[in-house]
Amino acid sequence: MSISKTTAAADANTGNQLALSLLVYAIFCGLSYLGKFFYVFFGIASLMGLLLPLAWGRRYGYWGEMGFTRQNLRPALVWGLAGGGVTALIGLWVIPSRAVPDNLGLQLAIGVPMWIVMASPFQEFFFRGWLQPRLSQTWGR
């Protein structure tokens, strides 16, 4: 009897994890869609993607599971730089006209810090750090 109760509890927990993951992802997608019309919703979706996983990690102590270890730092940086380089090369290859904008320096001065502070951590924290482990718990690797 205890084995079946344990299995039932594990199945319920797996179902709860899946439901929570899908709910949070649906909220994120809805806010992102509304961000096309109202910028405030894009900001809320971005903050949600950064703050939810960090708050979750602090509350439950899942830092290692979320990839916050010194062992993972160097490979993550190498793969991030390699992926960015490959993406840039593909962009140069597929975009037919390449013109340097007049305000390139300003665009880089604003865009690069935004990428470092918002886009890259957002993807890592929300998708890899929070959503992927929950889906892996539900469906396995």
Side-chain angles (χ1 to χ4, degrees), residues 3-45:
I3 293 174
S4 63
K5 287 182 182 180
T6 304
T7 303
D11 289 344
N13 187 33
T14 300
N16 291 341
Q17 288 291 328
L18 179 61
L20 178 63
S21 300
L22 294 176
L23 174 66
V24 170
Y25 185 66
I27 290 170
F28 166 75
C29 289
L31 290 171
S32 297
Y33 178 74
L34 290 174
K36 289 174 51 174
F37 308 107
F38 307 102
Y39 293 124
V40 69
F41 289 111
F42 179 74
I44 292 169

Side-chain angles (χ1 to χ4, degrees), residues 36-90:
K36 289 174 51 174
F37 308 107
F38 307 102
Y39 293 124
V40 69
F41 289 111
F42 179 74
I44 292 169
S46 297
L47 285 175
M48 177 184 134
L50 287 170
L51 298 178
L52 174 75
L54 292 175
W56 193 272
R58 182 177 173 99
R59 169 81 166 89
Y60 295 104
Y62 292 142
W63 297 110
E65 176 185 299
M66 293 171 65
F68 290 103
T69 63
R70 288 182 183 244
Q71 303 162 316
N72 295 340
L73 184 60
R74 186 181 186 119
L77 290 174
V78 169
W79 280 106
L81 290 172
V86 168
T87 301
L89 291 174
I90 291 171

Side-chain angles (χ1 to χ4, degrees), residues 1 50 61 79 90 93 120 133 136:
M1 287 254 183
L50 287 170
W79 280 106
I90 291 171
W93 180 52
S120 186
S136 292

